[in-house]
Amino acid sequence: MRTVGRRGTFIFLIILLLISILVGISIGPENLYLPHIVRGLISGLPGLDWAARGFTLKGPLGLESHFGPLPRGYQTIILDIRLPVVVMALFVGVGLSVSGASLQGLFKNPLVDPFIIGISAGGAFGYVLAVILTEGASIWISQFLKVLLSFLFSVGTVFMAYLLSRTGSKVPLTYLLLAGVALSASLTAATQMMVYLSVENPTPVIFSLMGSCSLTKWWEIGIVAPVILMGTLVLSAFGRDLNAFSAGEETAKHLGVDTERSKTTILVLASLMAAITVPFCGMIGFVGLMVPHIMRRFIGSDQRLLIPASALFGGAFLIICDLVARSLLDVTIPLGIITGLLGGIFFIYLLKAKRVGV
Amino acid sequence: MIRVKEVVFGYNGGAPVLNGIDLRVRKGDMIGILGPNGSGKSTLIGNMCGTLHPRHGTVLLEGRDIRSLRRKEIARKIAVVPQKSDLGFDYRVEEIVSMGRYPHIGRFSFRDPDGRKAVEDAMEQTGVLELREKIVDRLSGGERQRVMIARALAQEPRILMLDEPTKNLDIRHSMDIMDLIRKRNEKQGITVLSVLHDLDLAAKYCDEIALLKNGKIVAVGGVEEVLTERSIEKVFDIKVRVHGGRGFHIEVMG
């Protein structure tokens, strides 16, 4: 990999991301062609509405090209149906991957995933609780409560794990990991109990929990995107701290890291980034585990590079996974099933390849 | 440079490991800390670099209570080479050495003008320049220890603390490591404080020795003054014959 160089890897990742965005918009029940996509996208920008209508481009030497209007409905398909789904998949992929890369560095453990410390189990619990509480209520109240409760329980679980593992003024990372695993197990059991006993029609609930980016609305992106952008920027600035943590907490202190403060900041941001995806897209496992792993093989372990690289690749990766989920069969497969399948295979590969990328 | 005053320390409310330690480290000293297993050597290092806080007593770094200093301020003055150095991931040598720049760079700055040179110098002084692209976890024990020392030197510290830097190394590599540390002490005037197990090695390289037993300093001073047949018998519970002078060495009698 060294022959390509890090700069080359980043250029490749950016191109990969752009291609996956275009392919993600292009493929669906009706396949769209690149010129139509580009014109559709341009027409969404303020003042550039003409791109969707017919127009003529005048070049030098009297050359002229005529463009007919976009086929009926294409503008809506591109701007209101496909683009929000692709953009949501992009942000969720970025959020989970950056969260995973940061947590792996913090815990000095390549098998950590944002969901392992209880984020998904908490989110699922809150979601099902909202479903039960709002039975018969209006759709808006139910929608609002689902988002609120699953987010609160996601963050709450991590916070709880944090409190449980605190000894004196310190929070040893191994305790935190164990507390997260323990809380996850209990919450998952409680969630299944609730679904089993109290939800009348469990199928849609189970489907939502399995993870999906389809039917995304722009307002949802308006909530998810700022959190994930902020988190990515700040965590990138913590790359040096994460490198120090990868050499152990004690060494991090020797190197001058204010370990308790850095730890809290990284943990809060990484949890928020993963938790914000749960109410809108359900549980999409293993992305936060796989993406940093793959990136480490290409650009090495330096967290200053690993975080931005994971962001780029994670975005592309989830767009492609979502594309597969909605176009592989006639019905839409939950996204979490696709990532789960890939994650399982990936785990076995890691097991067999012994220490590869670890 | 460092003044340890009546330090008492115990882990998590347990029995004290350090029972009233007094120690004065002067600029340019090269001090060896010796003592049997469990005598509190590593714990003393921990207290002196501020990662452990004494129950009673104080540690002064250049006249200021070390507890009042931020970790970054301490790390600009004291670098520590710990006994264990496991890494979570495959890091390359240069990446590890660059970590030593942490206390010198602001969080949101991406440039460290003096850093490049400090990292290069540290790698050159420790002889790991040609290993820079190698994965640290695949190096030999001696090479790995050099990398850890290079990281500490990249911190540009005034004081270097080492916890058994020659652990698990054969005699050749142990001497290479000690030569390298001594050279930094003589050329740059870095004050060195090192926990050591090998009495001969300590006698050969250190100016001063502090002998520890049961969390107390039994003797401190020049090599021949401290490493006497009586004190060694008292601390390590073995009979020895000390051959003084230029070829100073210790013969174990049983």
Side-chain angles (χ1 to χ4, degrees):
Chain A
M1 304 307 164
R2 309 272 317 139
T3 49
V4 187
R6 302 203 176 83
R7 190 185 300 256
T9 309
F10 273 99
I11 292 171
F12 171 76
L13 288 172
I14 290 169
I15 294 172
L16 180 71
L17 182 61
L18 290 177
I19 291 176
S20 48
I21 292 173
L22 291 177
V23 174
I25 297 172
S26 154
I27 295 178
E30 182 149 12
N31 292 335
L32 309 177
Y33 296 106
L34 188 61
H36 289 157
I37 297 173
V38 174
R39 284 173 63 193
L41 289 177
I42 292 174
S43 75
L45 298 172
L48 296 176
D49 208 31
W50 51 265
R53 301 189 298 265
F55 57 93
T56 303
L57 280 186
K58 286 201 175 79
L61 307 170
L63 285 172
E64 284 188 1
S65 332
H66 298 279
F67 291 85
L70 272 185
R72 211 180 168 74
Y74 271 27
Q75 205 182 3
T76 315
I77 293 179
I78 293 170
L79 293 177
D80 294 332
I81 301 176
R82 303 256 176 98
L83 189 60
V85 171
V86 168
V87 171
M88 183 59 118
L90 167 69
F91 276 110
V92 172
V94 170
L96 294 176
S97 305
V98 170
S99 174
S102 311
L103 291 173
Q104 287 177 7
L106 181 65
F107 287 106
K108 198 184 159 184
N109 187 333
L111 297 181
V112 174
D113 168 84
F115 287 174
I116 224 168
I117 52 173
I119 292 170
S120 72
F125 184 86
Y127 188 89
V128 175
L129 194 65
V131 170
I132 293 170
L133 288 178
T134 57
E135 216 166 294
S138 83
I139 186 136
W140 274 105
I141 291 176
S142 147
Q143 193 73 18
F144 175 74
L145 214 62
K146 278 176 194 165
V147 171
L148 186 71
L149 285 188
S150 62
F151 180 71
L152 285 182
F153 274 91
S154 292
V155 178
T157 311
V158 179
F159 188 64
M160 185 78 176
Y162 189 83
L163 289 183
L164 280 175
S165 55
R166 193 163 68 181
T167 51
S169 62
K170 295 200 168 93
V171 182
L173 290 172
T174 26
Y175 287 15
L176 185 58
L177 202 55
L178 287 174
V181 172
L183 282 174
S184 284
S186 322
L187 279 168
T188 304
T191 307
Q192 285 169 344
M193 181 83 162
M194 284 197 300
V195 173
Y196 182 67
L197 291 179
S198 323
V199 178
E200 257 176 49
N201 178 15
T203 318
V205 177
I206 292 170
F207 185 86
S208 321
L209 289 181
M210 283 195 289
S212 161
C213 286
S214 53
L215 306 176
T216 297
K217 302 281 172 294
W218 280 110
W219 69 266
E220 297 176 318
I221 293 170
I223 296 174
V224 173
V227 175
I228 284 171
L229 279 177
M230 258 282 295
T232 305
L233 285 179
V234 178
L235 284 172
S236 297
F238 273 80
R240 272 188 279 262
D241 298 62
L242 286 164
N243 278 337
F245 274 108
S246 299
E249 262 186 278
E250 195 67 17
T251 301
K253 273 187 203 164
H254 294 150
L255 291 172
V257 180
D258 183 345
T259 48
E260 295 305 315
R261 226 179 71 191
S262 289
K263 203 190 301 183
T264 313
T265 313
I266 293 166
L267 198 62
V268 166
L269 286 175
S271 311
L272 280 181
M273 289 172 79
I276 196 74
T277 67
V278 176
F280 302 105
C281 298
M283 296 192 275
I284 302 168
F286 292 107
V287 175
L289 182 116
M290 285 186 282
V291 169
H293 251 293
I294 296 167
M295 282 302 99
R296 232 177 250 120
R297 297 207 60 185
F298 284 86
I299 52 141
S301 301
D302 189 340
Q303 295 270 359
R304 289 173 296 176
L305 302 174
L306 185 64
I307 289 181
S310 297
L312 291 172
F313 184 63
F317 180 76
L318 208 65
I319 291 173
I320 301 293
C321 284
D322 178 66
L323 180 63
V324 172
R326 60 191 159 85
S327 56
L328 190 65
L329 303 178
D330 288 342
V331 291
T332 298
I333 309 166
L335 183 50
I337 289 185
I338 301 286
T339 60
L341 264 176
L342 286 175
I345 296 167
F346 187 73
F347 243 114
I348 294 169
Y349 163 74
L350 280 185
L351 190 73
K352 282 298 175 196
K354 265 185 207 149
R355 279 188 57 84
V356 166
V358 176
Chain B
M1 287 232 101
I2 303 189
R3 184 95 166 72
V4 181
K5 279 187 184 165
E6 294 161 37
V7 162
V8 175
F9 176 87
Y11 289 98
N12 300 327
V17 181
L18 300 179
N19 290 304
I21 298 265
D22 281 282
L23 189 65
R24 187 193 288 272
V25 180
R26 285 175 304 263
K27 189 169 170 13
D29 275 351
M30 175 137 175
I31 302 181
I33 301 176
L34 297 176
N37 294 335
S39 56
K41 304 183 294 291
S42 302
T43 310
L44 177 57
I45 293 270
N47 275 270
M48 289 179 77
C49 71
T51 52
L52 300 175
H53 300 305
R55 264 186 215 164
H56 305 291
T58 47
V59 174
L60 301 177
L61 173 59
E62 294 178 334
R64 292 167 69 192
D65 187 341
I66 202 161
R67 295 190 71 157
S68 70
L69 300 174
R70 289 182 305 123
R71 287 259 32 119
K72 261 195 175 177
E73 293 178 77
I74 298 174
R76 283 195 285 261
K77 292 176 180 161
I78 303 178
V80 181
V81 178
Q83 212 178 99
K84 275 195 301 180
S85 58
D86 17 305
L87 303 166
F89 303 95
D90 282 349
Y91 276 98
R92 294 177 308 118
V93 168
E94 191 179 352
E95 289 166 345
I96 292 288
V97 179
S98 302
M99 285 184 197
R101 298 305 300 164
Y102 184 93
H104 296 279
I105 321 174
R107 174 157 334 275
F108 292 100
S109 70
F110 291 92
R111 294 265 170 264
D112 175 23
D114 314 324
R116 248 333 337 125
K117 189 171 168 359
V119 169
E120 294 293 321
D121 287 350
M123 287 196 292
E124 202 204 315
Q125 288 156 5
T126 49
V128 297
L129 261 181
E130 61 277 20
L131 301 175
R132 66 195 309 158
E133 295 290 327
K134 291 257 162 53
I135 300 291
V136 174
D137 275 345
R138 292 179 200 147
L139 299 179
S140 72
E143 289 171 333
R144 186 191 176 89
Q145 191 61 295
R146 287 168 175 280
V147 174
M148 297 307 155
I149 294 172
R151 179 175 69 194
L153 291 176
Q155 276 175 254
E156 298 181 294
R158 290 177 217 170
I159 304 162
L160 182 62
M161 297 188 183
L162 307 105
D163 196 349
E164 291 193 39
T166 61
K167 195 179 186 184
N168 297 331
L169 297 183
D170 62 38
I171 183 71
R172 173 76 256 154
H173 288 99
S174 295
M175 285 174 66
D176 286 349
I177 293 285
M178 293 308 293
D179 278 334
L180 151 71
I181 296 166
R182 183 78 221 194
K183 217 171 179 180
R184 288 305 109 210
N185 170 255
E186 282 169 359
K187 283 205 172 158
Q188 280 163 276
I190 297 181
T191 307
V192 177
L193 200 75
S194 179
V195 171
L196 291 166
H197 257 307
D198 189 310
L199 298 181
D200 284 327
L201 215 55
K204 183 166 155 53
Y205 288 100
C206 297
D207 305 317
E208 277 193 48
I209 303 285
L211 259 187
L212 241 69
K213 190 181 186 182
N214 296 333
K216 283 195 164 149
I217 292 189
V218 178
V220 61
V223 172
E224 299 211 21
E225 189 185 331
V226 171
L227 292 180
T228 61
E229 289 167 6
R230 263 195 60 195
S231 68
I232 292 173
E233 186 179 342
K234 190 173 150 202
V235 170
F236 290 98
D237 203 19
I238 49 167
K239 283 218 184 305
V240 294
R241 178 167 296 156
V242 173
H243 302 274
R246 271 184 61 83
F248 185 98
H249 69 280
I250 293 158
E251 187 185 347
V252 180
M253 311 299 288

